[in-house]
Amino acid sequence: MKKVKGFWLFLILSIVLYVTVQLLINAGILNQFYSNTLIFIGINIILAVSLHLVIGITGQFSIGHAGFLAVGAYISAIFTMKLQLPFPIAILVGGIIAALAGLIVGIPSLRLKGDYLAIATLGFAEIIRIVFLNIDYVGGAAGMQVSHLTNWTYTFICLFITIVVIMNFTNSRHGRACISVRENEIAADAMGINTVYYKVIAFALGSFFAGIAGGLYAHNFYIIQPTNFGFLKSFDILIYVVLGGLGSLSGAVISAILLTLVSTFLQDYPETRMIIYSLVLVIVMLYRPQGLMGTREITDIFGKWKSVKSVKGGS
Amino acid sequence: MFFRKKITSVLMASALVAGVLAGCGGEKAGTEGSKDSGGGGDTIKIGANLELSGAVASYGQGIAEGIDLAVEEINNSGGVDGKKIEIIKVDNKSDAAEATNAAIKLTNQDKVTAIIGAATSGNSVAQAQIANDNKTILLSPSGTSPNVTVGTNGKVNEFVFRTSFIDPFQGTVAANFAAGDLNIKNAAIYADNASDYAKGLAASFKETFEAAGGKVVSEESYVAKDTDFRSTLTRIKSANPEFIFIPGYYEEVGLIIKQAREMGITVPFMGADGWDSPILVDLAGAEALNNTFLTNHYSAQDPDETIQKFVTSFSKKYSGKSPDAFNALGYDSVYFLVDAMKRAGDTSDATKIKDALAETKDLSLVTGVVTVDEFHNPIKSATVLEHKDGKQVFKSKVNP
Amino acid sequence: MEWIQQLINGISLGSIYALIALGYTMVYGIIKLINFAHGEVFMIGAFVGFYAIAGWGLGFFPALLLAMAVCAIFGVLIERIAYRRLRNATRIAALITAIGLSLLIQYVVIYFRGAQPEAYPDALSNKTFDLFGVQISSQSILILSVSIVLMILLQFIVHRTKIGKAMRAVSHDMDAARLMGINVNTTISATFAIGSALAGAAGVFFGVYYTKIEPLMGIIPGLKAFVAAVLGGIGIIPGAMVGGLVLGVVETIVSALGYSLWRDAAAFIILILILLFRPSGIFGKNAREKV
């Protein structure tokens, strides 16, 4: 009962958020700059949360997430620009193909562990990028021009679905299986959990949402080029997840919001932008290697307080 | 247990709301402040959306140096209509998405009249639509792809202009020079595949060269930032061309020529304005550069007053450095824009300035005498130069 | 004849990779951290060499030694300031720190001198020999011989000296080594000093051989050197050498077949195949002897 109630509350708050922002945009109070920043934040949250599933929940060290972003971006762009199909279908297909790419990459490489997996995923992402670089159908190095179709509504719907699905997945039997893989793969195996299956599922699901983000990304920035999806992009996504705290969904969300804003703000200081950014990164990692939130969720702090109260209330 | 989940989901949503709204609030406060400081009517705000970090930072920084010099000169001589120019520089990290974001910020927040940028065609295309939608001029200093000024629908982007040539022209000049002046029959093309500039040049060179009866015996490509070209050069060498066309930027071209000469390839090489940099001579070595040609906007040896003034004041400002093509294009972009502002008689109405830009005729800039055509591309003559003992020697001038 | 020439091309490219990989494999071997900043140490080495030769007029060998010394200190500082604190943190935190450091070093250098490339002075004369139609440059022979000499030297240090023994012990089991009275911190610092000095030397050789240096030059060679180190077997010194050469030759063959645009992809495909089918690398045997 209460679980359902919580979901409704989440839904209502989300709708309030959506409607408020949409009204503000319609009223012209939020100009293009703010709405674009919101969309960019939304895309980054989807990316952060999708990688959070792979690294934070399942503990698989993937540093090639931009590859799946690229797949989603290119496939959805082909669907709208070359095949003239509607945008929602293009986003969905982009996600599905990215998930397939995730399967193709995941099945062989998830046999690896730790740094070796990391470097293999990095390699795969670079290969995906080089493949697009060599396909003239999508413009090669010059890139592909894409119409601007992404708006706040599409972004919000995708963001909402991503968070709900990943939250529910985490709290389901599958999610707990994934967490057991993260905590101790051998023990999980011994308990009869098909670790390979869960690793691949998490990887494919993460890739699917990265592909969705790719669809939004491609249709928000007018042009996509292979250089947009290099390993620095993968590192950016990785940084959201690690800075937020490995294993914390709200941490990933918060750090994606914060870092996007920091990066936007620093645009005004081009000379020192990257220096400040990397310095912040190093300092946070040195003094708080578990990330801003650790493995906790933002609710845990309140949760403690609530549970004390509820004990008193005798529920 | 149930409590946890419920609260988790509720607070997730509120975190989202809070985060997003806090973000907006912060942004607003920040930008209002900057608006006040720059909002006085006595400055002309021009944005510079450039690749100041990331993979092609050297191109963007070159343009920025040129812009800074031009702005300094104009402001020191009293500005435009008594107003000083204020350049708002924004870094796009050599990334198209960041270029879009930066353009939106410049148009919506800083309310600039015009944006100069970006160095590459892709990052220029990424902001063309924004410029049109917000009625802000976009002047791309070195975006050479036709797609910058002409949209996907085939219509000219009203507010978008460029300072550089478009790709096909230089390729045509090079091909005619090879087939005519040098009397070449077999040529090889070795192009930078990572830039649409080089690919465009390669395509137009091939077309013109074959039309003139020549034969392209080998077509190879490299990717910007490569350093070892020996294996592909070995391939080209065994195809026995009499001439090699290398559209690309000096950073790689210098190495290609050096390595090719070491391997005993003695045939002439030719390239385009991307070659123009004093560093090319340092990279390749003066001896290796003999018997190589390039098409360019201008020659630093040209006694023309504008050019000489630019070359001297540039090396004065930047401690003895000689300007390259990016420096010159950045410098020219400012003067190009200022000229249009003067003729429009208005420094803030982008619609008037855009009309003035489109009507530019015989404007004498460092990189040539510019007339803007119907597709917003400057028509300017190209100069063919030859390297002799590390110096560029004027060969011929080709009018379009 | 073209193919012999291509083989020569591949070996000269590979010996540069090998030179960087030698240092990389030592550093990775001891703390198991993908040290992304290794490429930046390489870049710093190239610039120190450049300023020493072009600015202060030093000869090639003094400049080389200076670059190696500066890089050794720099590498030790990186380890001291950044990595030491994270020795017991998660691997991913250390990796992010390495990425952050590498960006920091790149952009601090750009801040001070801009992103424009610099042309290396001709500090070392270069002659091209023509052997039966095959061109070999004296510089590439020099680089190959330097890497072989360094490889033998390193092999000697690691297997025949006391500090080498300590390195092997720390790499094998840090805690046990500490219990045996080995000063772990000093040993790791020594490893970083040697590895970074090698990166600095590689930077100077790279500068002389390829002429062009720029602040972002370390990224790709750093990644390729890591591939080479994995290819040969992490921590195995002759492995890094062979891995570098194999990588160079394979890349050259791919280009020689006319697929130059797929060259980097080929490097990564090899990496993935090696990781999947022989994760311990070409030279890795079950006897896990690591530095």
Side-chain angles (χ1 to χ4, degrees):
Chain A
M1 263 306 280
K2 275 170 184 163
K3 189 178 175 184
V4 175
K5 222 164 117 192
F7 176 75
W8 285 114
L9 251 159
F10 174 66
L11 187 66
I12 289 166
L13 272 174
S14 305
I15 291 172
V16 169
L17 168 69
Y18 165 71
V19 172
T20 321
V21 172
Q22 188 63 46
L23 283 177
L24 287 174
I25 290 172
N26 286 352
I29 297 171
L30 289 181
N31 64 18
Q32 197 185 7
F33 174 70
Y34 295 119
S35 61
N36 179 67
T37 308
L38 284 174
I39 291 171
F40 198 36
I41 288 176
I43 294 173
N44 284 339
I45 294 177
I46 299 178
L47 285 171
V49 170
S50 65
L51 188 63
H52 152 81
L53 179 65
V54 179
I55 298 189
I57 299 297
T58 322
Q60 298 307 303
F61 204 170
S62 162
I63 57 173
H65 218 50
F68 306 114
L69 175 71
V71 172
Y74 271 101
I75 298 291
S76 65
I78 290 170
F79 269 72
T80 54
M81 301 309 291
K82 308 263 180 188
L83 308 174
Q84 315 295 343
L85 288 169
F87 184 41
I89 295 179
I91 295 185
L92 192 64
V93 176
I96 292 169
I97 305 280
L100 284 178
L103 280 180
I104 295 169
V105 172
I107 290 172
S109 48
L110 286 169
R111 288 169 41 194
L112 302 167
K113 287 189 185 63
D115 289 351
Y116 285 135
L117 173 64
I119 211 80
T121 49
L122 180 73
F124 268 116
E126 282 296 288
I127 292 171
I128 291 175
R129 190 180 67 80
I130 294 168
V131 167
F132 284 120
L133 186 68
N134 281 290
I135 299 177
D136 282 332
Y137 181 68
V138 294
M144 188 171 171
Q145 276 179 274
V146 189
S147 316
H148 185 85
L149 296 172
T150 305
N151 57 23
W152 170 242
T153 310
Y154 282 119
T155 314
F156 189 82
I157 293 171
C158 292
L159 176 59
F160 181 77
I161 294 174
T162 310
I163 289 185
V164 167
V165 168
I166 289 186
M167 212 155 64
N168 282 342
F169 180 85
T170 312
N171 291 330
S172 72
R173 193 163 62 88
H174 305 283
R176 283 192 291 275
C178 288
I179 293 174
S180 75
V181 173
R182 176 187 77 191
E183 294 300 327
N184 191 331
E185 197 173 332
I186 298 166
D189 228 352
M191 297 302 287
I193 288 167
N194 187 346
T195 52
V196 176
Y197 170 79
Y198 283 109
K199 282 197 278 185
V200 172
I201 284 293
F203 203 72
L205 199 60
S207 310
F208 173 79
F209 286 113
I212 297 281
L216 294 170
Y217 184 95
H219 294 83
N220 194 41
F221 294 116
Y222 302 96
I223 186 166
I224 45 173
Q225 292 173 298
T227 47
N228 299 353
F229 307 105
F231 56 84
L232 284 175
K233 186 79 200 167
S234 298
F235 290 168
D236 279 346
I237 308 170
L238 181 69
I239 288 164
Y240 297 144
V241 179
V242 178
L243 209 65
L246 279 181
S248 169
L249 179 70
S250 45
V253 173
I254 291 169
S255 71
I257 295 172
L258 275 180
L259 285 180
T260 312
L261 290 177
V262 166
S263 175
T264 311
F265 176 69
L266 287 178
Q267 271 182 344
D268 282 342
Y269 306 94
E271 287 87 9
T272 45
R273 178 187 199 186
M274 291 302 287
I275 297 180
I276 296 173
Y277 184 80
S278 51
L279 209 56
V280 167
L281 196 65
V282 171
I283 289 171
V284 172
M285 280 297 112
L286 285 184
Y287 291 94
R288 208 172 156 75
Q290 70 272 42
L292 296 174
M293 301 291 294
T295 51
R296 289 172 304 164
E297 296 295 338
I298 190 164
T299 49
D300 292 2
I301 306 155
F302 298 90
K304 221 174 255 165
W305 172 70
K306 266 279 191 180
S307 59
V308 169
K309 222 173 103 181
S310 62
V311 167
K312 274 185 188 161
S315 81
Chain B
M1 196 58 197
F2 277 146
F3 255 120
R4 267 292 158 78
K5 271 176 200 157
K6 173 188 138 188
I7 300 163
T8 306
S9 43
V10 169
L11 281 166
M12 275 304 301
S14 30
L16 264 175
V17 179
V20 166
L21 291 182
C24 295
E27 285 295 307
K28 247 176 221 160
T31 40
E32 265 158 22
S34 69
K35 231 179 261 170
D36 290 341
S37 60
D42 51 351
T43 57
I44 306 165
K45 285 204 215 171
I46 299 178
N49 183 348
L50 295 169
E51 290 80 346
L52 298 172
S53 67
V56 291
S58 54
Y59 309 165
Q61 293 191 350
I63 291 171
E65 284 176 348
I67 292 177
D68 286 343
L69 174 64
V71 169
E72 193 183 285
E73 283 178 10
I74 293 168
N75 284 347
N76 284 346
S77 59
V80 187
D81 288 352
K83 294 180 187 171
K84 296 244 149 92
I85 297 177
E86 183 195 347
I87 288 283
I88 301 173
K89 250 186 259 172
V90 177
D91 171 29
N92 63 33
K93 281 189 179 171
S94 310
D95 180 274
E98 295 277 348
T100 308
N101 289 342
I104 290 175
K105 180 188 150 321
L106 287 171
T107 51
N108 282 277
Q109 297 307 112
D110 300 319
K111 311 255 183 235
V112 297
T113 317
I115 299 174
I116 298 177
T120 62
S121 300
N123 294 342
S124 305
V125 170
Q127 13 172 349
Q129 200 59 46
I130 310 271
N132 266 351
D133 292 348
N134 287 290
K135 301 206 182 313
T136 305
I137 310 266
L138 175 67
L139 181 60
S140 174
S142 54
T144 51
S145 153
N147 294 338
V148 174
T149 52
V150 181
T152 32
N153 51 8
K155 272 207 285 192
V156 175
N157 288 326
E158 257 189 283
F159 285 85
V160 185
F161 296 83
R162 78 174 98 225
T163 317
S164 60
F165 294 115
I166 56 167
D167 300 330
F169 176 57
Q170 288 190 87
T172 313
V173 171
N176 286 331
F177 180 78
D181 298 31
L182 298 178
N183 198 19
I184 302 289
K185 296 278 170 281
N186 297 324
I189 300 175
Y190 192 18
D192 176 0
N193 189 58
S195 94
D196 35 5
Y197 156 75
K199 284 170 93 175
L201 277 172
S204 64
F205 175 87
K206 191 180 175 196
E207 198 187 343
T208 318
F209 188 68
E210 286 179 341
K215 198 173 155 230
V216 175
V217 290
S218 166
E219 268 183 273
E220 297 286 342
S221 36
Y222 63 92
V223 184
K225 309 289 163 196
D226 277 357
T227 45
D228 196 298
F229 305 94
R230 291 182 173 83
S231 54
T232 312
L233 285 170
T234 308
R235 257 175 82 84
I236 293 177
K237 191 183 176 190
S238 57
N240 262 327
E242 301 166 75
F243 171 90
I244 304 176
F245 183 58
I246 315 178
Y249 291 111
Y250 63 88
E251 300 184 19
E252 287 82 27
V253 171
L255 305 191
I256 294 175
I257 293 176
K258 176 174 185 264
Q259 293 173 13
R261 293 290 191 237
E262 278 171 14
M263 293 173 55
I265 300 177
T266 52
V267 300
F269 292 91
M270 186 158 189
D273 55 337
W275 282 31
D276 182 32
S277 163
I279 301 177
L280 179 73
V281 184
D282 299 337
L283 288 175
E287 202 185 320
L289 269 182
N290 284 336
N291 203 17
T292 63
F293 305 86
L294 72 150
T295 54
N296 199 3
H297 314 267
Y298 76 113
S299 152
Q301 268 78 43
D302 197 321
D304 180 277
E305 196 193 336
T306 327
I307 294 172
Q308 284 316 314
K309 194 183 124 224
F310 167 67
V311 174
T312 27
S313 46
F314 187 89
S315 50
K316 209 171 115 196
K317 183 168 161 78
Y318 297 104
S319 50
K321 232 163 76 171
S322 312
D324 65 12
F326 286 112
N327 299 139
L329 287 168
Y331 180 85
D332 272 0
S333 297
V334 178
Y335 276 100
F336 191 15
L337 204 57
V338 165
D339 168 71
M341 285 179 176
K342 282 182 181 155
R343 278 185 292 113
D346 196 317
T347 52
S348 57
D349 187 343
T351 317
K352 281 187 193 160
I353 301 170
K354 143 212 125 177
D355 292 336
L357 272 173
E359 284 159 11
T360 305
K361 216 172 150 57
D362 300 329
L363 170 67
S364 177
L365 295 174
V366 172
T367 61
V369 179
V370 169
T371 301
V372 173
D373 75 359
E374 61 199 300
F375 300 112
H376 290 186
N377 298 320
I379 305 171
K380 42 187 177 180
S381 51
T383 315
V384 178
L385 304 168
E386 182 179 1
H387 283 111
K388 274 201 179 127
D389 300 322
K391 292 261 181 310
Q392 292 181 350
V393 180
F394 179 80
K395 202 72 186 154
S396 65
K397 198 160 190 166
V398 186
N399 289 312
Chain C
M1 207 46 77
E2 190 191 331
W3 285 100
I4 299 173
Q5 178 73 58
Q6 293 291 20
L7 196 65
I8 303 280
N9 295 339
I11 290 172
S12 13
L13 175 64
S15 42
I16 290 272
Y17 290 152
L19 208 50
I20 315 171
L22 284 174
Y24 215 134
T25 204
M26 290 192 64
V27 169
Y28 186 90
I30 200 154
I31 54 166
K32 309 289 182 301
L33 163 73
I34 305 178
N35 182 12
F36 275 100
H38 198 77
E40 274 54 55
V41 176
F42 161 79
M43 179 266 289
I44 296 284
F47 273 99
V48 170
F50 171 78
Y51 288 117
I53 296 171
W56 306 335
L58 290 184
F60 175 76
F61 284 101
L64 179 70
L65 290 178
L66 182 71
M68 287 174 78
V70 171
C71 285
I73 296 167
F74 191 58
V76 171
L77 282 179
I78 289 178
E79 195 273 330
R80 196 58 247 272
I81 294 168
Y83 297 155
R84 185 166 296 179
R85 297 183 62 97
L86 292 167
R87 216 172 278 161
N88 296 317
T90 50
R91 295 280 279 281
I92 195 154
L95 183 83
I96 298 277
T97 311
I99 293 171
L101 266 180
S102 128
L103 288 174
L104 184 65
I105 299 168
Q106 286 164 13
Y107 286 97
V108 167
V109 172
I110 288 186
Y111 182 77
F112 284 111
R113 64 162 298 283
Q116 284 83 1
E118 200 81 64
Y120 233 73
D122 269 332
L124 208 56
S125 62
N126 190 22
K127 285 199 183 64
T128 309
F129 304 105
D130 194 322
L131 289 179
F132 313 111
V134 176
Q135 261 86 23
I136 305 173
S137 84
S138 59
Q139 281 179 358
S140 57
I141 296 174
L142 176 74
I143 291 172
L144 182 64
S145 9
V146 166
S147 355
I148 292 173
V149 169
L150 284 176
M151 177 193 82
I152 294 168
L153 190 68
L154 279 185
Q155 191 74 349
F156 175 78
I157 291 176
V158 168
H159 288 273
R160 294 279 181 273
T161 63
K162 211 169 172 188
I163 186 81
K165 209 175 210 174
M167 284 172 186
R168 281 182 289 152
V170 171
S171 146
H172 200 75
D173 189 330
M174 204 179 281
D175 292 321
R178 191 176 288 120
L179 291 175
M180 292 293 122
I182 292 171
N183 189 336
V184 172
N185 285 341
T186 317
T187 312
I188 292 180
S189 291
T191 315
F192 264 85
I194 296 176
S196 306
L198 286 176
V204 177
F205 277 109
F206 185 94
V208 168
Y209 189 55
Y210 288 116
T211 329
K212 184 183 75 170
I213 58 169
E214 42 132 359
L216 303 179
M217 67 188 270
I219 304 175
I220 297 296
L223 214 53
K224 295 274 178 69
F226 182 73
V227 174
V230 173
L231 198 60
I234 278 294
I236 301 162
I237 288 159
M241 182 81 210
V242 173
L245 291 179
V246 168
L247 190 65
V249 171
V250 168
E251 286 193 357
T252 307
I253 289 173
V254 172
S255 300
L257 291 171
Y259 299 101
S260 54
L261 298 176
W262 294 91
R263 198 170 78 171
D264 289 349
F268 286 111
I269 288 171
I270 295 176
L271 172 74
I272 288 166
L273 290 179
I274 282 282
L275 287 177
L276 289 179
F277 296 108
R278 207 178 157 75
S280 52
I282 302 173
F283 279 60
K285 298 229 171 68
N286 285 339
R288 294 163 64 86
E289 190 183 59
K290 285 182 177 175
V291 180

